[in-house]
Amino acid sequence: MIKVILITGRSLNQGVSKELGKFSKEYMEKVAVCELDPEDLKLLGVSSGQNVKVKTKYGEVVVKATESTQAPHKGIAFIPYGPWASILMPSATESTGMPSLKGIEATIEPAKDEEILDPEKLIKMVVGREP
Amino acid sequence: MKTVRNVVCPFCGSLCDDIEVDIEDNRVVKVRKGCAISATKFTKYNEERIYKPRIDGREVSLEEAINEAVEILANAKYPALYGWSCTSTEAINIGIEIAELVGGVMDNTASVCHGPTILGEQDAGISTCTLGQVKNRAELIIYWGCNPAHAHPRHMARYSAASRGRFVKGRKERTVIVVDVRKTHTAKTADIFIQIKPNSDFELLTALRWAVKNGELEQEEIAGIPAEKIEELADMLISCRFGALFFGLGLTMSAGKARNIEAAVNLVRELNNYTKFVMVPMRGHFNVTGANEVMAWATGFPFAVDFSRGYPFYNPGDTTFVDVLTRGDCDAALIVASDPVSGFPAEAIRNLAKIPVITLDPHETLTTMISKVVIPTAVVGIEAEGSAYRMDAVPLRLKKLVEPPPGILSDEEVLKMILKKLKERVK
Amino acid sequence: MELLIKNGYVYDPINEINGEKMDIAVKDGKIVESVSSDAKVIDATNMLVMPGGVDIHSHIAGSKVNSGRILRPEDHYKDVKPRTAITRAEVGHTVPSTYTIGYRYARLGYTTVIEAASPPLKTRHTHEELNDIPLIDKSCYLVLDNNWIVLDYLSQGEIDKCAAFIGWIFKALKGYAIKIVNPGGVELWGWGKNVESLDDQVPPFDITPREIIRGLCKINKMLNLPHTIHLHTNNLGKPGNYRTTIETMDTVSDLADGKPNIHITHVQFCGYGGDSWITLRSGAPEIAKYVNNHNHVTIDLGQVVFGDATTMTGDGPFQFILQNLTGNKWKNADVEAEGSAGIVPYKYKRKNFVNAVQWTIGLELALLIKDPWRVFLTTDHPNAGTFMKYPRVITWLMSKVAREKVLNKINKRAKKRSTLPSIDREYTFYEIAIITRAATAKALNLANKGHLGVGADADIAIYNINPMEIDPSKEYKKVRRALKRAAYTIKGGEIIVKDGEIVKSFIGETFWVKPAIPEDLEKDMLREVSEKFKEYYTVSLENYIIGENELASSKPIAVKTNL
């Protein structure tokens, strides 16, 4: 397990795959990911393409670890905007209307054998029932 | 086959207006000049389309769906109307009147995007400009907490770093600085990259302002950056003839939020005592700026407007949709051209799933999944026309290129029908 | 629909009707000779009847106004009114919402208002807001003096092509007149600089403010535009600037042919004597003297009203100075190849020396300029105060007592330096009708506005006050109350206000000029302009053009040009 600062944001792949549909294979492939610094991957003992579990005070989610092409950023994990990222975020807005979607403390651990939930399962998990 | 030129791309806040689209048999067959996202948007807009209105998952006629929507809105004590950043200004304008009529809260996606930018501006102002001013004059460009290489793919070529203007002819004549927590693909093209510690933007912006004003810093290091580097940077900012600061959600979403913007505003304001300096927010969705504009002219406030008193009331942090949802205050929701379930914190989604939701969208989304009423609409900028505002508030006209699928109306048309029926229902 | 307004005291200066008791007949939106016995009768006995007000300069729509709204939530909180069966919710004080603007003008008896400054690139936005301003008719001036294509053509001496371009831009963007804002200075603001005189160079254009003004004045005549050039001077807001103002007026005197050919706007802001804020004094006497001796000039006041204001102009460098002076929040918004805008919230205080001098300047101008047909009432809304304060300004003009009451409360040094206490003139209702509707309609060359002659638009204001009995000099408060809430406002033959309340709402017309340009000249010009566009702008020429279908109620006015 490593401690990181989690940030979320746009990526080109997220933008393109979003246009292919929120339930498309591509969207899940490109958005249910966590970009990590190569050194952090090494520390975790995880190689690019293997699953990891990301946990914050507010929730946890399994996504695929990928080696960042925008490194170095040791200690910082990036997940593109989307349902996988938002589960990890606080709802408090500190009187701004804006939840803190960047700069959240998180932990990451290997989760090679755990499944990445597709959007439907993810929402079912969040709302606690069949949508 | 026909080719339509000067098409405005309805994806991001850059609203590139030079796209060329080939159309054959009411289908887009080819797109030229657009970025990868634009090309996908124009050619794949029929993926995961919704063709029939639904109530509780059951296919119904448009009239039934509209009647149900009207019932929900008319019976709600405090409905929330949210989304709006991916539709036309005209559609948003009708949404505002619906919100006023039913005494609901009207918010747009700016609240989870550049809402803090607006709050910072309301505290301190902003020195800004249209993008052509940067293209023509900017010798120095900073990208702070934004990654146009990914989020606004043609921004640098058309409007900023590598654009060709009247006085500044291209990338070689400009200095480009990137401030980010990661060495982003934008950072990799910069002349100077400042890798800042997460959540320390406020400190660096404030230190920079101090250095601009006073020349020297007392500390050795601020935000992970050596003082000499900050002083050097301050000198560069003062020395350019025209500087532009582009900033993104790296400032609005991280610690400080609106205070970060205020710090940036004050830095730029100070710089104008020495040279010309401007800042421009990198707005995300193609018409999120338009949502702010039309809400401001119709209600006085750019987002988070509560009509429960009969007149517009604005109190971000209270009347913003995430807060309304998290408190569990609203008892119905109308979501237009947005997918909050994909992007909102879990607590907010849980509460949204408990109330009747009406969603207008061309496509299946996570939000349509939890909606009671789903009304499919035309894709604005491809199947419907309308106005949209670029990130710098330049208004452009989106074109209608092809006919929508049979029976599918635009957001504007559907909302007009809802408004008309509501007016008969709510006296 | 027919209306008969019976027995009112009518003030219709264009038709030289001065308080005559008469009936006004209305049919199908127009004033007619007579109506049938089915006509709805409005009893205007013992009431004051005037044409609907015509505001020649007010910031009501577009990017700058909306920036003011966004910048100032604190402006809106206390000034609200819930939605009714007829009206949308009202909100906003100095920068109210579009709906609020329409309703409030209508309540004052105003029926036509022109947005004072629209940068071409953002004029689509201006129209979108005009579409949402109910009741009144409206239009907008286009800011063209710092436009690169105009500057290129003028500096190259290509005046025909420049005229063709400007004629085309009115057609393409649906505007009404040429607005000039700190010519040359705003272009230099692109580099954080400004000009200081009419003869400063504006690099790289090889042109001076004087040459820009003269060029545009000539083009205005070539295009035969209905209004004159409408000019915000260089050096606005600086002590001593009355000299620049007079020089500006004089620089086009030789181009005049007996009629006005230049309108200087909000002259209060460019009527300052002295050479610093310490030695500030009114320059109104000098300006009035010039205007009295030269009939090629019209002006409007930009009268200061104490209290809250939001300054917003296309004069970026002036707003920069103001934010440094006040420390208030500041918005600057430059527009590529066209100009700039700035916004700074402001509060005018009676005890503040500068503000008090400013207050005296507007009134001195109105009282010292002899010909009311060439001086118009404005507050440059919302720069010197809101248009809602027009009734207050009117009573200052009509009553020396009302003026003295304020003079006794203002900064003593300002009072001592002012000539205002020595001026006895008091405006009559006839003169008020001139400076608020007749003269402005005439200056805009709106043949169907500002009067009640047969064929005119049935835009009528009726105020519940008996002009034959009241002494406005003493009973100015009664006048003020009556003017604040029209007994009736009639727009296009429809009763829209009764007893100060909106009783009907609809969208008025947006009018714009459509100059005829010789085809070959236009083609040549457009070929060059489309090339320049690629270099100067970030939008294509095609997307710059605003379709007539984008206007809620479009009214083009064809203009024969001298090209």
Side-chain angles (χ1 to χ4, degrees), chain B residues 17 122 130 269 276 293, chain C residues 66 323 328-329 334 336:
Chain B
D17 78 330
Q122 290 174 337
T130 68
R269 187 169 176 163
K276 186 66 189 272
E293 294 289 344
Chain C
N66 217 32
Q323 64 93 23
N328 292 348
K329 57 187 173 185
D334 294 354
E336 64 208 56

Side-chain angles (χ1 to χ4, degrees), chain B residues 310-337:
Chain B
Y311 57 80
F313 172 77
Y314 170 74
N315 191 20
D318 168 20
T319 57
T320 25
F321 189 43
V322 169
D323 299 281
V324 169
L325 267 185
T326 304
R327 287 197 309 267
D329 276 357
C330 59
D331 55 352
L334 170 68
I335 310 291
V336 179

Side-chain angles (χ1 to χ4, degrees), chain C residues 155-407:
Chain C
S155 64
Q156 290 153 10
E158 299 239 45
I159 193 145
D160 282 345
K161 277 191 190 146
C162 194
F165 172 68
I166 289 176
W168 173 83
I169 215 166
F170 282 112
K171 287 194 293 177
L173 305 184
K174 281 71 183 167
Y176 195 73
I178 299 173
K179 178 72 185 291
I180 300 174
V181 181
N182 184 5
V186 172
E187 163 51 28
L188 288 184
W189 175 240
W191 303 115
K193 299 186 170 75
N194 197 357
V195 294
E196 284 176 355
S197 87
L198 284 173
D199 298 311
D200 282 8
Q201 277 294 321
V202 185
F205 291 95
D206 189 26
I207 201 165
T208 64
R210 189 187 302 279
E211 289 162 349
I212 299 170
I213 296 165
R214 286 181 62 83
L216 289 173
C217 187
K218 286 178 197 163
I219 286 167
N220 204 80
K221 198 167 169 185
M222 290 162 76
L223 288 171
N224 198 21
L225 293 174
H227 186 33
T228 60
I229 53 171
H230 192 107
L231 189 143
H232 160 139
T233 61
N234 300 110
N235 286 330
L236 185 121
K238 290 184 197 163
N241 63 9
Y242 83 90
R243 286 184 216 93
T244 309
T245 303
I246 291 174
E247 212 183 334
T248 304
M249 293 171 173
D250 207 47
T251 195
V252 295
S253 62
D254 63 313
L255 303 175
D257 53 6
K259 286 183 300 198
N261 70 345
I262 187 167
H263 176 82
I264 310 280
T265 190
H266 42 66
V267 173
Q268 173 275 126
F269 286 114
C270 55
Y272 304 153
D275 48 21
S276 72
W277 293 116
I278 311 284
T279 61
L280 182 76
R281 62 170 182 81
S282 165
E286 289 91 341
I287 291 173
K289 190 174 163 204
Y290 185 91
V291 173
N292 285 336
N293 291 326
H294 296 83
N295 63 8
H296 71 287
V297 185
T298 62
I299 72 153
D300 68 84
L301 299 180
Q303 173 62 38
V304 160
V305 184
F306 297 115
D308 282 325
T310 302
T311 67
M312 53 170 71
T313 72
D315 193 345
F318 159 67
Q319 299 287 162
F320 176 71
I321 294 169
L322 193 62
Q323 64 93 23
N324 260 340
L325 278 173
T326 60
N328 292 348
K329 57 187 173 185
W330 167 56
K331 173 146 186 176
N332 174 74
D334 294 354
V335 180
E336 64 208 56
E338 293 183 351
S340 181
I343 302 161
V344 180
Y346 198 83
K347 189 168 193 144
Y348 294 95
K349 298 180 185 132
R350 289 195 308 253
K351 297 295 180 196
N352 175 296
F353 168 66
V354 172
N355 295 163
V357 171
Q358 287 179 302
W359 177 79
T360 65
I361 292 172
L363 296 176
E364 286 173 6
L365 285 165
L367 295 165
L368 293 173
I369 293 174
K370 289 173 189 153
D371 180 4
W373 290 93
R374 291 194 292 118
V375 53
F376 315 138
L377 172 63
T378 67
T379 56
D380 185 18
H381 165 83
N383 278 288
T386 79
F387 64 82
M388 293 291 286
K389 298 290 167 56
Y390 285 179
R392 188 166 290 259
V393 179
I394 287 170
T395 52
W396 288 332
L397 295 176
M398 295 188 88
S399 164
K400 189 165 197 253
V401 178
R403 295 199 291 269
E404 273 167 357
K405 207 172 161 198
V406 181
L407 273 168

Side-chain angles (χ1 to χ4, degrees), chain A residues 7 10-11 19 23 33 50 57 66 80-81 85 103 123 125 128:
Chain A
I7 57 172
R10 276 178 213 295
S11 76
E19 294 306 314
F23 301 95
V33 299
Q50 290 179 329
K57 236 167 45 181
T66 60
Y81 291 143
I123 292 312
M125 185 188 87

Side-chain angles (χ1 to χ4, degrees), chain A residues 30-93:
Chain A
K30 304 295 186 192
V31 180
V33 299
C34 178
E35 295 177 17
L36 289 164
D37 186 87
E39 283 191 41
D40 286 336
L41 273 176
K42 228 179 266 169
L43 261 173
L44 267 175
V46 165
S47 52
S48 197
Q50 290 179 329
N51 291 354
V52 290
K53 182 178 271 181
V54 186
K55 283 187 189 170
T56 68
K57 236 167 45 181
Y58 316 98
E60 57 181 66
V61 75
V62 177
V63 289
K64 184 171 69 182
T66 60
E67 182 176 322
S68 177
T69 57
Q70 307 190 79
H73 52 78
K74 197 167 159 10
I76 294 175
F78 174 87
I79 305 183
Y81 291 143
W84 296 275
S86 50
I87 278 181
L88 301 167
M89 298 303 162
S91 57
T93 73

